[in-house]
Amino acid sequence: MLGSGADLQPLPVERAAGLPNTSAGTDVAAEPDPASLELEKRHLLSGHRGTVSEDAEHALPRQQRRYYTAGMFCLVATLLSADQNLLAPNLTAVAEDFGFTDAQRDKYLGGVISAAFFLLGAPAALLIGYLSDTMNRAKLLFWVVVLGEGPCLLTYFVTSYWQLFVLRALTGISIGGCLPLLFNLLGDLFDAQHRANVLSGVLIATGAGMAIGQALAGGIGPVTNWRWPFVIVALPSLLVTGVMLATTQEPPRGITEPALKAEFAADPSFVYSERITMQQSTALLRVPTNLLIFIQGLFGCLPWGVLLTYLTDYLAQNKGLSVPTATLVTIVWGLGGGVGAVGGGVLGQWLYNHINKAAMPLFTGITVASATIPMWWLTNANLLTTPFFFTLVLAVTGGMLSSTAGPLNKAMLLNVNEPETRGVALAWQTMTDDLGKGLGPALVAALISALGRRSAFNLAIAGWLPCGALLAGVAVSLAKDEAAMQARLAEKVEKQTRDAEYLLPHIPEESA
């Protein structure tokens, strides 16, 4: 970024538009070409320090190219997500390989590795989010995937538990950092009127990746051994990541923002040169929309801890359903979640575009809080005397209501943060989610010890009430925070222009 005007000195002739120094051996410098000076002035106004020839002309890619780029980014993230649950279907086979007892299997494979996977992924998300605001994001995505899929491939060769632990932890770091990086990229491919729609599709794709990976491990592991699924997932992931790096380019930062569109339209070589600072990283917590979205994730970890870890077993052991029937209920809940993510993203985006910006957070807050009703019903009702179809209807309804927040929260974060701070903002949100995934089941386990299963689940499910209230509260701040962000962008571009204009008020004369 260019410094303040007081620190800048006029450029010599040879720096202007790449002109040679023609003053050598003469008393008066050669008159510069006005067209070249204008080109160099426009280049300096872009805030870029290189020469004009170094700049690839860029504009928002044509629609076909834009969707290809977004599709490649999403495919890479989907393949990486397939790695997340590869261990789960074959825990017993892994335990037998390492000579573990059943208790050691549950503790070290089901507990310790899972906790490391998410708890190390949380701070990694913050680091990778920061890097995504300072360097080329397409290249960073390539290296993040290599960091995850390289260890995934090497898992085939492990001979001890601690080797497996380290490799899975590295994959957790990669997965934790991938999504905020991906959403950061998509924010510069799609504007505020389309982001929620796109992000809902991304979340479905990554969720499908996890399901495919788990199904692959469950189908291939027992037939071959538990190691082969890691190879089968890793190799195509690394191949596709190489194709992504070779065939896509990072979109220009800020090109979809209203405050910057005029600059990009007027000058194809314009570069938004701002980069994140530590002061900006902490200032994110002073943006009300950011703070509300970050905090709500901490409350949401409790009901999701019940749902993801305990619900199937509770329905089978405490509510009298058979294991296949209990599993079907949770599967139907998950299918409803997929519908909720897509439908919630589309409907929330429509409300934002056509009704009012505040309608988006109100919608997601109400739906998330309403998810407590079907979840409480499943926890407390006599399921043996209730028509099973009705149970499935409530399960799919609960899944839909509880899943609208995913794409909408990320879209709102993109809308209220500058291009150079979005990676860290999304990483904060991912970090609270990952902490919830890692700590949620442990907190629920502590509640079970104190209150028993039913009371503990009822209390944990209530976490969706403050979660929904905080999201609804974003309705008060969203439009104000968006307007404030656009105003800050305009100020930064104006300062960038002032500083650059100070460099070229005229071309000074040079003498030999």
Side-chain angles (χ1 to χ4, degrees), residues 269-507:
S269 67
F270 175 80
V271 175
Y272 179 67
S273 61
E274 291 286 334
R275 293 296 180 267
I276 194 169
T277 64
M278 291 305 297
Q279 183 179 2
Q280 287 176 308
S281 297
T282 57
L284 291 173
L285 299 177
R286 295 197 294 270
V287 178
T289 297
N290 288 342
L291 196 58
L292 290 169
I293 291 176
F294 297 159
I295 294 174
Q296 62 83 30
L298 297 176
F299 289 100
C301 76
L302 290 172
W304 283 108
V306 172
L307 183 63
L308 298 176
T309 307
Y310 297 104
L311 182 61
T312 301
D313 187 72
Y314 176 75
L315 294 177
Q317 300 301 320
N318 299 86
K319 305 302 290 183
L321 300 183
S322 66
V323 172
T325 302
T327 302
L328 178 60
V329 173
T330 56
I331 289 174
V332 169
W333 184 291
L335 293 174
V339 174
V342 174
V346 172
L347 181 55
Q349 187 70 74
W350 185 87
L351 292 170
Y352 177 95
N353 293 347
H354 300 287
I355 303 300
N356 189 285
K357 291 181 178 181
M360 176 188 279
L362 279 175
F363 165 72
T364 189
I366 291 170
T367 54
V368 167
S370 300
T372 56
I373 298 172
M375 192 66 171
W376 271 329
W377 189 91
L378 290 174
T379 302
N380 297 284
N382 185 343
L383 300 183
L384 296 179
T385 61
T386 302
F388 185 59
F389 177 77
F390 184 66
T391 300
L392 293 180
V393 169
L394 283 175
V396 75
T397 302
M400 292 169 61
L401 293 172
S402 62
S403 301
T404 60
L408 299 182
N409 286 351
K410 292 169 178 61
M412 289 187 287
L413 288 175
L414 287 172
N415 294 350
V416 301
N417 291 287
E418 293 99 317
E420 72 272 18
T421 63
R422 286 174 181 159
V424 172
L426 290 161
W428 274 107
Q429 198 255 341
T430 298
M431 189 168 66
T432 57
D433 279 355
D434 281 352
L435 287 173
K437 292 172 185 174
L439 295 178
L443 293 174
V444 174
L447 289 174
I448 292 172
S449 297
L451 304 173
R453 270 192 160 188
R454 182 172 175 176
S455 297
F457 291 171
N458 282 325
L459 182 59
I461 292 164
W464 272 328
L465 295 176
C467 185
L470 289 166
L471 288 173
V474 175
V476 178
S477 63
L478 181 61
K480 295 178 183 177
D481 289 343
E482 284 190 22
M485 187 272 286
Q486 294 296 331
R488 292 194 300 271
L489 278 182
E491 289 176 4
K492 290 175 182 179
V493 172
E494 184 179 352
K495 180 180 182 299
Q496 191 170 294
T497 302
R498 279 199 315 269
D499 291 345
E501 285 180 334
Y502 181 82
L503 289 171
L504 287 175
H506 58 81
I507 301 297

Side-chain angles (χ1 to χ4, degrees), residues 90 93 156 216-230 232:
N90 298 301
Y156 181 85
L216 188 69
I220 294 177
V223 176
T224 56
N225 63 59
W226 65 268
R227 301 168 187 267
W228 271 109
F230 291 89
I232 294 170

